[in-house]
Each structure stands twice: as structure tokens, then as C-alpha cells.
Amino acid sequence: MKLVYVLSAVLAIIGTTRNSFARGEAAHYSGELEVEAAAEAKQQVPKSDYVLELDRSVYHEVLKTHDMVFIEFYANWCAACHAMSSEFDAFAKAAHKMYPQVAIARADITKVEYLSSSYMVSMLPELVFIRRPSPGVTPEVRYVSANFTKNDLLDYIGGGWAVDKPAGDYTSLWCTPTNLCGHLGGLIGESVVYLDKHFNRFDIPPWAFMAAFVSVLYLVGQVVVGFLSRLLRRRYRAQINKRLDDTIQGTANSPSTPKTGSKSSGQGSATKRAKSKASKSD
């Protein structure tokens, strides 16, 4: 009996020790999470009340409600984005008062792959100015060449944008980030990021994975287009041949008309011969 009490006491002590250790580990892990969260908060680009944070739905809504949109593409790991964030915030605050019709926005390329792919962002921070010349017209997209200062950016949205040509020049806006072409590019970018996260088991660089994916997609598209074109050509030829067969069969089945002209001419010549014989006999 005493042995049972001793074993029970030992097990209780072990259980208490394990619980205490688990609580200590949880507290330690929680402390690490808080430190990481604080460090991450310090690494994030500061938010501003005068700057819209874009995702896909907000982006499309802003394009519908505003004829002019100014977007900064950034990332929290970008040192230059952190260094210029205060200047951009000052610009946004001043633009809110001077040009209230212009929407000032930001897009984190690590969270909104749709936009970074649509606009083919190749540097950070990247500034883009979108302007719709008239209602119902495809918006112009300009990659801002002005200096990253408050006054220069204010001058840019005030009319300085005219020094930059729209993407692809305005005479060929059939493929821009703001129409169907850009939408498809954004969807492809999102798909590539998703596939890279879930299926890239060989640690291939994202750009190489995207190049391979686009190449495969292009080849598949060529095969599908070739197959469809051959199918349509076969159907078209079958229709043409059927029409020709119907025409030939209809011609063959139509009743033949009597050749009255030849018969009458034959009768006339016979009458002439009879008359000539009668005259000779006389």
C-alpha cells in the first residue's frame, strides 16, 4: 500500500513538473511571438489616413469612381520604401487638399500579386499615374518619372504628367494594365504565385518558375488553337462539299426539256425535199 502511495506521489510530481514546463514553454513562445510581432510592425511601411491600401476589389472600385489615381507600389522589406514613406505621406496629405479628385493609393506587391503582375512592377518603389481622358475611355497609364519629393509629385498630378507618354502610347491602348489584357496578366501572376507556393518543390526562383509556367501555357494555347482551327476548317470543307453534292444531285434529277427547235428545223427540211422532188417529176 505504501508503494502505491509513493508511486502516486511521484506521478503527481512528474505531472506537475511537466505542466509547469509546458506553461513555461508556452510563455516563452508567446514572448517570442510578441517580439516577432513588434519587430514586424517596425518593419512595416507606416500607414496613412490619406492613402488607400489597395487589394483587387478596392482597386477596381477606385478605378470606377475616380478619373485620376496615383499608386505607389511597395514592399515591407524594401529599405527605399521605408526611407521615402514619410515623403509620400506628406505628398498624399497635401494632394488631399489641393487635388481632392485624385485618389492616392498604395499596393503591397507581396499581398496583391494581381496588381504587381498587371503593371509589370520591376522596381521599388514604383509610382504609377492613371488618368481617364473622358468618360467611357480606357484610362491612360503613366509610369511616373518625376522626383520622389512632395512638391515634384504635386506638380506632376497638377499637369506635369503630360511629359510622360502613356504605356504603349495612347494610339495603341489595346493592351494596357487597366483593360482586359492587364486583367489577364494579373490573373496569370496570381496563378503563378499560387503554384509556386504549393507546387514548387525544387526551390526554383519565382521568376524562373513564372517563365516556365508562361512557356507551358503558351505551348498549350498553340496546341488548342491549332486543334480548333483544323476542326473549323474540316467543318467548313464538309459544308462546301455537301453544298456541291446537293447542287450536282439537283441538276441530275431535274426533267430534260424537249428540243423543239431541232425537230421543227428537221420537219422543215423534209418538206423542202418533198417539194423539190414534186417539181422535178412535173
Side-chain angles (χ1 to χ4, degrees), residues 103-167:
I104 310 298
R106 275 195 182 111
D108 187 348
I109 65 169
T110 63
K111 296 180 179 179
V112 195
E113 294 88 356
Y114 173 83
L115 292 181
S116 60
S117 298
S118 296
Y119 286 86
M120 302 294 288
V121 176
S122 59
M123 59 179 293
L124 293 177
E126 181 82 89
L127 300 179
V128 172
F129 182 64
I130 305 170
R131 174 181 172 272
R132 181 179 286 104
S134 59
V137 176
T138 301
E140 303 172 351
V141 177
R142 288 176 169 83
Y143 293 91
V144 179
S145 61
N147 294 327
F148 205 121
T149 62
K150 168 187 171 182
N151 293 330
D152 287 339
L153 296 181
L154 287 173
D155 292 340
Y156 190 90
I157 63 176
W161 50 263
V163 301
D164 292 332
K165 289 185 177 181

Side-chain angles (χ1 to χ4, degrees), residues 42-233:
K42 290 181 180 179
Q43 292 176 356
Q44 290 183 354
V45 174
K47 308 299 181 182
S48 173
D49 295 335
Y50 302 98
V51 180
L52 295 172
E53 290 291 333
L54 296 181
D55 56 22
R56 192 202 296 189
S57 59
V58 174
Y59 164 75
H60 288 298
E61 185 64 27
V62 169
L63 281 186
K64 291 179 182 178
T65 57
H66 292 77
D67 290 333
M68 289 186 285
V69 184
F70 196 97
I71 303 176
E72 178 198 21
F73 291 95
Y74 75 99
N76 289 322
W77 48 260
C78 171
C81 300
H82 284 271
M84 299 177 179
S85 62
S86 59
E87 191 72 20
F88 189 79
D89 293 342
F91 153 71
K93 184 176 181 180
H96 182 72
K97 296 179 180 179
M98 297 176 61
Y99 304 102
Q101 72 277 17
V102 181
I104 310 298
R106 275 195 182 111
D108 187 348
I109 65 169
T110 63
K111 296 180 179 179
V112 195
E113 294 88 356
Y114 173 83
L115 292 181
S116 60
S117 298
S118 296
Y119 286 86
M120 302 294 288
V121 176
S122 59
M123 59 179 293
L124 293 177
E126 181 82 89
L127 300 179
V128 172
F129 182 64
I130 305 170
R131 174 181 172 272
R132 181 179 286 104
S134 59
V137 176
T138 301
E140 303 172 351
V141 177
R142 288 176 169 83
Y143 293 91
V144 179
S145 61
N147 294 327
F148 205 121
T149 62
K150 168 187 171 182
N151 293 330
D152 287 339
L153 296 181
L154 287 173
D155 292 340
Y156 190 90
I157 63 176
W161 50 263
V163 301
D164 292 332
K165 289 185 177 181
D169 200 351
Y170 192 66
T171 57
S172 58
L173 283 182
W174 61 274
C175 187
T176 69
T178 55
N179 62 9
L180 180 61
C181 189
H183 178 64
L184 293 177
L187 293 179
I188 291 175
E190 280 186 335
S191 302
V192 169
V193 172
Y194 176 83
L195 294 174
D196 179 62
K197 288 180 179 179
H198 294 83
F199 299 100
N200 187 2
R201 306 302 182 186
F202 302 100
D203 293 331
I204 302 175
W207 63 268
F209 189 81
M210 182 173 184
F213 176 78
V214 172
S215 300
V216 172
L217 188 65
Y218 174 78
L219 293 176
V220 172
Q222 290 294 317
V223 172
V224 172
V225 170
F227 174 77
L228 293 177
S229 62
R230 290 182 180 180
L231 182 63
L232 291 176
R233 283 199 299 268

